[in-house]
Amino acid sequence: MAGPIPLSQFMGAANAHYYGTRDPLGARGDFTTAPEISQMFGELIGLWLADLWDRAGRPAARYVELGPGRGTLAVDALRAMAKAGLTPPVDLIETSPTLRAAQAERVPDAEWHLGFTGISEDGPLLVVANEFFDALPIRQLVATNEGWRERLVACQDTLFLPIAGDRSFDMIIPPDLRDAPPGSILETSPASVAMLRGLARRLLGQGGAALIIDYGYQGPAIGDTLQAVRGHQYANPFEEPGEADLTAHVDFATLREAAEAEGLVVYGPVTQGVFLTALGIDARAEALAKASPERAEDIALDRERLTGDEAMGDLFKVLAITAPDWPVPAGFA
Ligand code: SAH
């Protein structure tokens, strides 16, 4: 019997094993993401970056992606950027050896990193993170009759159980949430804030912009959003850790505040549906359908999956961050 560990440590260890040992994406995997649904997603993001880069005066910028999965978004974005005259060096931040190998097949000239350390400090960065922050560990605080406690995970053999710790966390609970009923859960993600700060410092120091896309909310708010997905079904996050994808909703208000505190300009979040529509997904879908009429129906369905309110369009949010002297990005009017 090992002592209980914080939920954040449990989630970090489970996901390190999960992502490190498989390609989780696609119909035969555990979940599907927007770039795996359609090339339109990565292409429009590439055009968004190229437009911003063009209006910033076409500097010698680098493309940086956080958690690139199979590298599909990168390939689609880089192809669209090249058509607009932008062919940047590529830096991929990825911990999983399995996914690094998949990315190398698609983007052979990329360089791989574990974080921002090691990425050149010369020239602006064009950063993309799709469904990355939701995979970073969260910490949960739980209201008990004795006050707020950290949620820990106890482990006995192969049984894992969430329990409340002994130490009081009342001091760090926002005043309006302090009286929430027992069982209430408040989430924070120190790992996400640390990653965002690293990103923000780079944008401040060398210029550039970042696009963050994920499902999320504007916290702080009460709610347990930890979820496990396996074979496209919800699973118990405490059963067979490392065999299911553990994610949590992203608190965009906290990311926004962290970026602003570093002196950056933040746009959004707007919904993915609004964003992709503003960038012209309808025209792109029409052009693709005209080029391959036999696929017209699929293309229309893909467009709907990415932008529809009942699909990803409303749940997923888009946040942009730029260096203070960079132009206003498209899609956030
Ligand atoms: N962006 C891709 C994949 C999303 S899945 C897509 O949209 O399809 C999450 C990705 O983040 C995977 O590539 C995973 O290996 C990576 N990842 C998870 N935790 C990470 C961490 N702490 N540091 C770097 N990459 C991480």
Side-chain angles (χ1 to χ4, degrees):
M1 164 100 195
I5 56 170
L7 176 72
S8 53
Q9 212 175 312
F10 173 82
M11 185 174 173
N15 269 352
H17 177 80
Y18 175 75
Y19 286 111
T21 51
R22 77 206 72 204
D23 172 357
L25 291 152
R28 294 223 308 270
D30 291 313
F31 60 95
T32 300
T33 56
E36 300 298 333
I37 290 173
S38 166
Q39 69 188 79
M40 295 187 283
F41 186 76
E43 287 170 349
L44 290 170
I45 288 173
L47 292 175
W48 182 88
L49 290 171
D51 164 62
L52 200 56
W53 163 82
D54 181 53
R55 289 185 289 120
R58 303 193 155 223
R62 310 181 72 83
Y63 176 84
V64 180
E65 196 177 327
L66 313 185
R70 286 179 175 167
T72 309
L73 196 168
V75 176
D76 293 335
L78 288 164
R79 189 179 58 247
M81 286 190 276
K83 285 193 180 147
L86 170 57
T87 51
V90 177
D91 294 295
L92 303 178
I93 295 183
E94 174 62 68
T95 40
S96 161
T98 311
L99 289 171
R100 278 187 180 200
Q103 292 152 20
E105 278 179 29
R106 298 250 171 107
V107 199
D109 296 332
E111 275 180 37
W112 281 265
H113 311 270
L114 293 172
F116 279 92
T117 314
I119 295 180
S120 166
E121 293 181 28
D122 260 356
L125 302 181
L126 304 169
V127 185
V128 179
N130 184 61
E131 290 211 49
F132 171 72
F133 282 94
D134 67 336
L136 297 188
I138 54 158
R139 172 189 217 186
Q140 285 187 337
L141 300 171
V142 57
T144 71
N145 289 321
E146 287 83 45
W148 287 87
R149 301 284 193 261
E150 177 158 20
R151 212 169 179 208
L152 309 176
V153 180
C155 147
Q156 192 157 25
D157 301 323
T158 55
L159 200 68
F160 296 85
L161 201 71
I163 58 167
D166 298 329
R167 239 161 25 99
S168 170
F169 280 84
D170 290 354
M171 293 299 288
I172 62 166
I173 305 298
D176 53 318
L177 301 179
R178 234 167 253 167
D179 295 328
S184 301
I185 281 175
L186 181 68
E187 297 179 344
T188 63
S189 179
S192 296
V193 172
M195 180 59 78
L196 193 94
R197 279 205 192 115
L199 160 65
R201 288 191 188 136
R202 285 308 196 91
L203 295 184
L204 196 67
Q206 58 198 104
L211 197 65
I212 296 170
I213 305 133
D214 232 308
Y215 49 100
Y217 63 104
Q218 314 247 22
I222 296 296
D224 177 3
T225 76
L226 178 70
Q227 66 182 37
V229 167
R230 190 173 182 178
H232 299 268
Q233 307 271 334
Y234 289 113
N236 180 342
F238 301 104
E239 237 171 67
E240 293 190 76
E243 299 303 320
D245 182 38
L246 292 187
T247 61
H249 287 213
V250 172
D251 175 3
F252 280 100
T254 298
L255 294 188
R256 189 191 172 101
E257 265 168 41
E260 282 172 348
E262 298 292 331
L264 294 152
V265 188
V266 185
Y267 301 88
V270 298
T271 66
Q272 177 170 302
V274 164
F275 182 72
L276 294 177
T277 303
L279 296 192
I281 194 169
D282 295 348
R284 185 67 188 130
E286 247 172 63
L288 285 175
K290 216 174 241 170
S292 359
E294 75 287 354
R295 289 194 52 236
E297 217 169 293
D298 285 341
I299 292 164
L301 283 173
D302 293 345
R303 190 198 61 84
E304 183 58 26
R305 272 180 88 183
L306 293 177
T307 61
D309 282 350
E310 306 299 313
M312 300 178 83
D314 195 49
L315 179 62
F316 280 73
K317 311 285 189 293
V318 185
L319 189 80
I321 301 173
T322 72
D325 52 348
W326 268 54
V328 177
F332 293 90

